[in-house]
């Protein structure tokens, strides 16, 4: 993928604008695009907070990691997560916001190149209240973490590096804060209320097992990679679709209009997960359904992550 950033002197330090030509490493029916968005988040935070995110250290000299606590992506009618292909040209605008002394919020807009857009830095009001229908928007809530036990991904502590400089960032308006939403998801194991308004439950909940894949699921620091959570949830969704008699081709044509992931734990090699899926269908449109999933450590029952995936099935031809 070719990325041509706008010159830094033309931008506020917490913003970035780039022209992106989509290459194979960014597009697929899986998690590649989310990994790339996450890379942009690290780049923006590094530049805006004057911190080397890739080599950050705690005051004690231990590695500190800018972990993903919440990832929200909302697809548009032109740019959506699994609708990109080789050679697509995008304008990507990003902006970081102050969100406490140990965390940061970064917003991204992926727009078709040449689309007329407002001048100036990305406005949170656009992202949360007035999204352009053609664009994909991503919201990343990141928190600094560090290991408490060498070689273990359990019991991670929230610790910011000493040089994390966040005070100059504009604060995210309280009305847009995801803290309450993510907190409820952590407490209840779902982003959805018990009976989501406008939806009915389609079938009984199903539970599948998944063993952490050390080839795919760990990053270079030995932690479970944030984008692999997307891949694990998609793997479980594919199993559900197959159980419903849907084809792999239909799965690849799915259109994700909204997805939220809350990251509440990490895992060591050899961990076996249980993933429970509930499927909800809209009472207003037969083409809209939501997959609600909770991923737990099968041995301890610890909640590791939850997701809610809203899908428009019209393009896939699912009944």
């Amino acid at each position: 993928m070719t990325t041509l950033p706008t010159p830094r002197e033309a931008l506020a330090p917490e913003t970035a604008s780039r022209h992106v030509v989509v290459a194979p490493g960014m597009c697929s029916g899986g998690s590649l695009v989310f990994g790339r968005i996450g890379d942009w988040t690290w780049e923006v935070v590094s530049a805006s907070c004057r911190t080397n995110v890739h080599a950050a250290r705690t005051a004690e000299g231990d590695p500190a990691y800018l972990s993903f606590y919440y990832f929200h992506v909302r697809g548009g009618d032109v740019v959506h997560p699994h609708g990109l292909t080789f050679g697509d040209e995008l304008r990507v605008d990003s902006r970081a916001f102050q969100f406490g002394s140990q965390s940061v919020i970064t917003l991204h807009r992926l727009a078709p190149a040449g689309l007329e857009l407002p001048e100036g830095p990305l406005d949170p009001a656009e992202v949360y209240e007035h999204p352009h229908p053609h664009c994909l928007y991503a919201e990343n809530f990141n928190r600094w973490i560090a290991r408490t036990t060498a070689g273990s991904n359990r019991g991670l502590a929230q610790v910011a590096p000493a040089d994390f400089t966040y005070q100059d960032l504009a604060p995210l308006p309280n009305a847009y804060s995801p803290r309450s939403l993510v907190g409820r998801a952590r407490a209840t194991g779902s982003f959805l209320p018990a009976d989501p308004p406008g939806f009915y439950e389609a079938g009984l909940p199903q539970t599948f097992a998944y063993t952490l894949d050390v080839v795919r699921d760990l990053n270079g620091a030995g932690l479970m990679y944030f984008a692999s959570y997307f891949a694990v949830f998609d793997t479980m969704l594919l199993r559900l679709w197959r159980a419903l008699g849907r084809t792999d081709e239909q799965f690849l044509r799915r259109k994700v209009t909204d997805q939220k992931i809350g990251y509440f734990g990490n895992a060591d090699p050899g961990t076996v997960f249980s993933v429970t899926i509930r499927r909800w269908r809209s009472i207003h449109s037969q083409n809209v359904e939501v997959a609600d999933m909770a991923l737990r450590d099968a041995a301890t029952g610890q909640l590791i992550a939850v997701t809610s995936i809203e899908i428009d099935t019209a393009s896939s031809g699912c009944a």
Side-chain angles (χ1 to χ4, degrees):
M1 180 190 63
T2 301
T3 300
L4 303 174
T6 298
R8 292 299 309 168
E9 62 268 22
L11 297 167
E14 73 277 10
T15 67
S17 184
R18 56 190 97 213
H19 177 252
V20 172
V21 179
V22 176
M26 185 180 168
C27 57
S28 71
S31 62
L32 293 180
V33 65
F34 305 116
R36 192 67 191 98
I37 292 170
D39 288 345
W40 292 329
T41 289
W42 274 36
E43 291 171 10
V44 172
V45 173
S46 287
S48 61
C49 298
R50 300 187 291 281
T51 302
N52 184 350
V53 173
H54 301 86
R57 297 274 170 173
T58 67
E60 291 73 29
D62 298 320
Y65 307 107
L66 188 65
S67 72
F68 286 78
Y69 186 58
Y70 174 60
F71 198 123
H72 179 201
V73 61
R74 182 168 47 199
D77 52 18
V78 175
V79 184
H80 52 92
H82 307 298
L84 299 172
T85 192
F86 303 170
D88 285 348
E89 296 189 41
L90 305 173
R91 170 180 164 179
V92 178
D93 292 281
S94 307
R95 186 178 178 187
F97 293 86
Q98 183 184 139
F99 208 58
S101 63
Q102 296 182 322
S103 56
V104 63
I105 291 276
T106 308
L107 304 179
H108 305 275
R109 177 184 60 208
L110 282 65
L115 182 69
E116 186 173 344
L117 294 167
E119 295 296 325
L122 183 59
D123 187 343
E126 175 190 341
V127 179
Y128 293 99
E129 298 183 47
H130 311 293
H132 193 290
H134 293 346
C135 299
L136 181 153
Y137 294 87
E139 174 187 12
N140 291 166
F141 175 5
N142 294 80
R143 306 196 306 179
W144 289 102
I145 61 169
R147 286 187 170 94
T148 57
T149 303
S152 174
N153 294 338
R154 301 179 185 276
L156 301 172
Q158 192 169 350
V159 183
D163 63 347
F164 177 49
T165 306
Y166 62 91
Q167 294 87 349
D168 294 337
L169 297 179
L172 185 76
N174 287 335
Y176 305 137
S177 171
R179 288 192 192 275
S180 295
L181 174 69
V182 182
R184 285 195 301 270
R186 185 167 195 163
T188 65
S190 174
F191 282 107
L192 302 180
D195 294 300
F199 288 84
Y200 66 92
E201 190 164 9
L204 296 173
Q206 296 201 40
T207 300
F208 300 101
Y210 178 86
T211 301
L212 188 148
D213 185 337
V214 296
V215 174
R216 183 184 70 173
D217 296 338
L218 298 180
N219 62 22
L223 292 158
M224 191 170 174
Y225 177 44
F226 80 89
S228 70
Y229 290 73
F230 282 94
V232 171
F233 283 127
D234 279 344
T235 299
M236 301 301 103
L237 181 63
L238 177 58
R239 290 184 189 177
L240 175 64
W241 277 38
R242 287 171 174 169
L244 295 171
R246 297 174 176 178
T247 67
D248 291 0
E249 289 74 18
Q250 288 175 318
F251 180 80
L252 291 172
R253 293 198 303 268
R254 74 197 186 284
K255 181 178 180 180
V256 172
T257 54
D258 191 281
Q259 182 167 5
K260 304 175 181 72
I261 292 186
Y263 301 84
F264 306 133
N266 212 276
D268 293 323
T271 299
V272 177
F273 302 112
S274 64
V275 185
T276 300
I277 309 177
R278 302 178 72 181
R279 188 168 64 99
W280 302 86
R281 301 198 77 170
S282 171
I283 62 176
H284 305 293
S285 172
Q286 64 177 357
N287 295 321
V288 175
E289 63 183 45
V290 176
D292 179 36
M293 301 187 224
L295 182 146
R296 290 180 166 83
D297 185 318
T300 66
Q302 178 191 0
L303 182 67
I304 302 297
V306 299
T307 193
S308 172
I309 311 174
E310 181 177 301
I311 304 166
D312 182 345
T313 63
S315 59
S316 63
C318 293

